[in-house]
């Protein structure tokens, strides 16, 4: 029996160590990156590291903002390969993952990318290819960006149907167990009652979730905007301009107070109508300001009773763990620049807090259901072990349950809190000065010879050295 206890403790320590090590490597990379210390960040990336998906995603952002677009594209490609592997798994393997998540814990499984992750992987791949002057390949990635958002709605509907079917099957299973139970048999776990109690408890613990609103149907206005802009400026056939017009109209509806998006929507309408002399064909620079840091994932613990079928009260209280979003700060309220005699100020294009909160809210029922099933099943096993084998067996399984009950807090940590936009006539001297709200100079960008270009400005936190990259947009 003592040997069993040792095996359990060693196994859990090894599993927990792997997950913890991945997150420590992530943090070691990101701390210098947040400050703008590219030398230290590059040193970490030039050494061997665990190529777990969250680390790959953050590593790709480091390279992207350093202007090492070939490296960024390679890392994003590796990330997408991990995503596709997850998407194309067999039904049997997918079912085994769900069972593993229940018996062990989500943290000890491979990281499951969020919908917002998969959309942004293709978007950043597209921008990286633009920077490498590979427009035809960028076109493929922007099409995939739009397709992933469309598929997300279908997948969500499938998830809801699956939850409803699982609840029916669980109810039928419990009824069969209760009806066939004889005197002396093990009690039956009332999992559905426990899950209902947990949902109410989470609702009381996080009332703010009820007020979260996204942009609708898993749409990310940032990804939609850049995809639409690409098809406007790199249009080859009329359908490209129609697609651009559709995308930018959608974004305009999501950010109605952004005058720059309004101008772009008018541009897309002119291009779709074939107006070759449109005023919007003048040389233009789009400044993309990736500001601050998106929410990170923390752990929320909630106490719930372990209900047994036929019993009014729970036999004990248990604590289950689930992920909880924790918002982080912006670096600056806005940035500004001057072209000619006109000053321009950045305006909100996409609030990543809203994007991530909406996705979290959409999947909340599924998250609670799986977390509670995992904790309740393991705790019920401890309860039965103690009934059958005494205190020592109960202690062994209790330690296993306690350590394994952890929330999966892994995420793509280097994403911005919000994305802001400026649309500026191209200065005649081909230089754009980026200024802070107080007018102090943050950076200067030398523009390419192309008619259109993008200037990327990235500031992870207040006081950090901004990353600035210029990317040709079209020929």
């Amino acid at each position: 029996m003592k040997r069993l206890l040792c095996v359990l403790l060693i196994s859990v320590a090894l599993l927990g160590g792997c997950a913890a090590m991945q997150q420590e490597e992530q943090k070691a990379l990101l701390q210098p990156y947040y400050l703008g210390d590219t030398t230290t960040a590059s040193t970490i990336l030039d050494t061997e590291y665990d190529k777990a998906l969250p680390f790959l995603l953050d590593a790709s952002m480091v390279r992207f903002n350093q202007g090492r677009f070939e490296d960024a594209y390679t890392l994003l490609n590796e990330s997408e390969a991990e995503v596709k592997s997850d998407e194309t798994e067999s039904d049997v393997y997918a079912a085994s993952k769900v069972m593993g998540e229940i018996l062990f814990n989500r943290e000890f499984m491979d990281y499951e990318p969020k919908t917002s992750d998969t959309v942004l992987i293709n978007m950043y791949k597209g921008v990286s290819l633009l920077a490498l002057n590979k427009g035809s390949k960028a076109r493929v990635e922007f099409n995939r960006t739009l397709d992933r958002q469309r598929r997300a709605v279908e997948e969500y509907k499938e998830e809801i149907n699956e939850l409803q079917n699982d609840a029916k099957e669980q109810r039928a299973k419990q009824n069969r167990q209760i009806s066939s139970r004889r005197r002396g048999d093990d009690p039956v776990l009332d999992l559905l009652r426990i899950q209902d109690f947990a949902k109410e408890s989470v609702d009381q613990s996080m009332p703010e979730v009820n007020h979260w609103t996204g942009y609708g149907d898993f749409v990310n206005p940032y990804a939609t905007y850049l995809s639409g802009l690409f098809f406007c400026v790199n249009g080859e056939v009329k359908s490209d301009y129609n697609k651009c017009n559709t995308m930018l109209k959608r974004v305009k509806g999501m950010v109605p107070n952004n005058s720059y998006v309004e101008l772009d929507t008018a541009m897309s309408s002119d291009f779709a109508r074939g107006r070759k002399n449109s005023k919007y064909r003048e040389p233009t620079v789009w400044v993309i300001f990736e500001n601050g840091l998106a929410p990170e994932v923390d752990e929320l613990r909630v106490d719930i009773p372990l209900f047994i079928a036929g019993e009014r009260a729970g036999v004990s209280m248990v604590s289950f763990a689930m992920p909880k979003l924790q918002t982080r700060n912006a670096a600056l309220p806005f940035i500004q620049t001057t072209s000619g005699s006109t000053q321009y100020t950045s305006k909100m294009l996409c609030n990543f807090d809203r994007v991530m909160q909406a996705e979290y809210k959409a999947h909340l029922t599924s998250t609670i259901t799986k977390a509670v099933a995992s904790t309740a099943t393991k705790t019920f096993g401890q309860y039965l072990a103690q009934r059958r084998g005494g205190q020592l067996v109960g202690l062994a399984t209790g330690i296993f349950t306690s350590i394994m009950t952890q929330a999966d807090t892994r995420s793509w940590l280097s994403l911005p809190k919000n994305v802001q936009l400026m649309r500026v006539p191209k200065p005649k001297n081909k230089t754009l000065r980026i200024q802070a709200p107080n007018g102090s100079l943050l950076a200067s960008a030398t523009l390419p010879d192309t008619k259109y270009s993008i200037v990327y400005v990235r500031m992870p936190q207040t006081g950090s050295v901004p990353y600035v990259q210029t990317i040709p947009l079209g020929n």
Side-chain angles (χ1 to χ4, degrees):
M1 198 63 64
K2 291 181 179 178
R3 182 178 296 178
L4 170 64
L5 178 58
C6 291
V7 169
L8 281 170
L9 289 173
I10 291 170
S11 300
V12 172
L14 288 173
L15 285 169
C18 291
M21 188 179 298
Q22 289 176 9
Q23 291 183 307
E24 286 306 313
E25 286 182 337
Q26 233 180 319
K27 291 177 181 177
L29 169 69
L30 290 175
Q31 288 310 313
Y33 165 73
Y34 290 160
L35 297 172
D37 182 358
T38 59
T39 302
T40 302
S42 290
T43 300
I44 294 170
L45 289 181
D46 289 337
T47 60
E48 286 297 317
Y49 53 85
D50 186 345
K51 294 190 176 182
L53 183 54
F55 188 93
L56 283 175
L57 293 171
D58 284 325
S60 70
M61 287 298 90
V62 172
R63 290 308 193 205
F64 182 92
N65 288 298
Q66 288 175 332
R68 295 177 59 168
F69 296 108
E70 192 76 57
D71 292 338
Y73 177 77
T74 299
L75 289 164
L76 289 163
N77 233 9
E78 290 182 39
S79 301
E80 189 177 27
E82 292 287 329
V83 171
K84 287 181 176 178
S85 174
D86 187 74
E87 290 175 337
T88 57
E89 65 194 13
S90 67
D91 291 341
V92 173
Y93 181 64
S96 70
K97 281 175 61 178
V98 173
M99 184 57 65
E101 188 173 339
I102 291 173
L103 293 178
F104 293 93
N105 197 64
R106 173 71 257 173
E107 186 190 21
F108 302 113
M109 313 292 288
D110 289 338
Y111 174 71
E112 187 172 334
K114 302 173 181 64
T115 299
S116 54
D117 293 347
T118 62
V119 169
L120 291 170
I121 286 171
N122 288 114
M123 188 204 77
Y124 281 116
K125 282 179 69 179
V127 178
S128 297
L129 289 166
L130 271 180
L132 296 169
N133 197 28
K134 297 179 179 179
S136 59
K137 289 186 176 181
R139 171 181 292 268
V140 174
E141 297 302 333
F142 285 119
N143 273 320
R144 287 175 177 167
T145 299
L146 298 172
D147 186 56
R148 283 199 179 277
Q149 293 188 102
R150 178 189 59 78
R151 285 160 50 194
V153 179
E154 298 172 0
E155 290 167 1
Y156 175 62
K157 290 178 181 177
E158 291 175 3
E159 179 180 301
I160 296 300
N161 289 334
E162 187 177 327
L163 281 173
Q164 292 172 343
N165 292 334
D166 287 348
K168 290 178 183 177
E169 290 176 9
Q170 179 63 30
R171 177 63 65 194
K173 177 183 175 182
Q174 286 183 194
N175 290 337
R176 288 194 302 270
Q177 290 174 328
I178 293 170
S179 61
S180 62
R181 185 172 179 266
R182 298 178 180 178
R183 185 183 297 273
D185 287 351
D186 287 333
V188 177
L189 181 68
D190 195 344
L191 185 57
L192 292 179
R193 188 179 169 197
I194 298 170
Q195 288 171 339
D196 288 342
F197 187 97
K199 291 168 190 174
E200 292 179 7
S201 298
V202 170
D203 188 54
Q204 292 172 5
S205 299
M206 298 192 298
E208 67 275 11
V209 174
N210 293 318
H211 303 289
W212 288 351
T213 57
Y215 293 100
D217 290 342
F218 297 97
V219 175
N220 183 324
Y222 182 29
T224 305
Y225 173 81
L226 278 184
S227 300
L229 187 62
F230 171 84
F231 286 107
C232 266
V233 177
N234 294 274
E236 296 176 355
V237 293
K238 182 173 175 59
S239 60
D240 286 343
Y241 298 117
N242 289 336
K243 181 185 291 185
C244 158
N245 188 229
T246 300
M247 295 300 103
L248 293 182
K249 280 181 177 178
R250 183 176 298 177
V251 177
K252 180 184 174 184
M254 291 184 278
V255 286
N257 297 321
N258 191 314
S259 57
Y260 303 123
V261 173
E262 190 172 340
L263 286 172
D264 286 328
T265 306
M267 174 187 72
S268 70
S269 296
D270 266 16
F271 286 10
R273 292 169 184 159
R275 293 179 179 170
K276 294 183 179 180
N277 296 322
S278 169
K279 64 180 180 179
Y280 299 109
R281 294 190 183 273
E282 294 300 315
T284 304
V285 183
W286 286 268
V287 181
I288 304 290
F289 177 35
E290 292 194 350
N291 180 26
L293 294 167
E296 60 184 350
V297 182
D298 205 348
E299 182 179 85
L300 172 69
R301 284 188 170 266
V302 180
D303 292 332
I304 54 174
L306 189 69
F307 289 119
I308 302 298
E311 300 290 337
R312 186 170 184 177
V315 295
S316 65
M317 293 296 290
V318 297
S319 178
F320 81 95
M322 58 174 284
K324 176 183 180 180
L325 292 183
Q326 188 69 42
T327 58
R328 293 186 285 176
N329 296 327
L332 291 172
F334 59 88
I335 57 173
Q336 52 191 359
T337 191
T338 302
S339 180
S341 59
T342 305
Q343 188 175 61
Y344 298 84
T345 300
S346 62
K347 297 182 179 181
M348 184 71 71
L349 174 64
C350 176
N351 183 334
F352 267 71
D353 288 356
R354 286 183 62 184
V355 171
M356 296 179 69
Q357 287 169 351
E359 185 172 352
Y360 177 91
K361 182 178 180 179
H363 296 296
L364 184 58
T365 299
S366 175
T367 301
I368 296 171
T369 299
K370 291 178 181 178
V372 171
S374 176
T375 300
T377 300
K378 293 193 288 276
T379 306
F380 187 59
Q382 174 193 349
Y383 172 75
L384 293 180
Q386 191 162 333
R387 277 170 54 105
R388 296 168 184 165
Q391 293 292 334
L392 189 56
V393 175
L395 175 63
T397 54
I399 293 173
F400 178 81
T401 299
S402 176
I403 298 177
M404 295 296 281
T405 304
Q406 299 177 30
D408 185 3
T409 58
R410 293 170 293 181
S411 66
W412 191 347
L413 290 169
S414 53
L415 293 174
K417 181 180 182 68
N418 61 60
V419 178
Q420 299 179 25
L421 174 69
M422 289 188 287
R423 188 186 197 279
V424 181
K426 185 177 181 179
K428 292 182 179 180
N429 64 0
K430 298 181 183 179
T431 300
L432 203 64
R433 291 167 56 85
I434 308 299
Q435 298 171 314
N438 63 5
S440 62
L441 181 66
L442 291 172
S444 291
T446 301
L447 304 174
D449 292 331
T450 52
K451 178 186 284 190
Y452 305 121
S453 59
I454 294 175
V455 174
Y456 256 93
V457 181
R458 178 71 177 109
M459 281 192 72
Q461 60 187 29
T462 302
S464 62
V465 178
Y467 300 89
V468 180
Q469 307 298 333
T470 56
I471 298 173
L473 184 60
N475 296 322

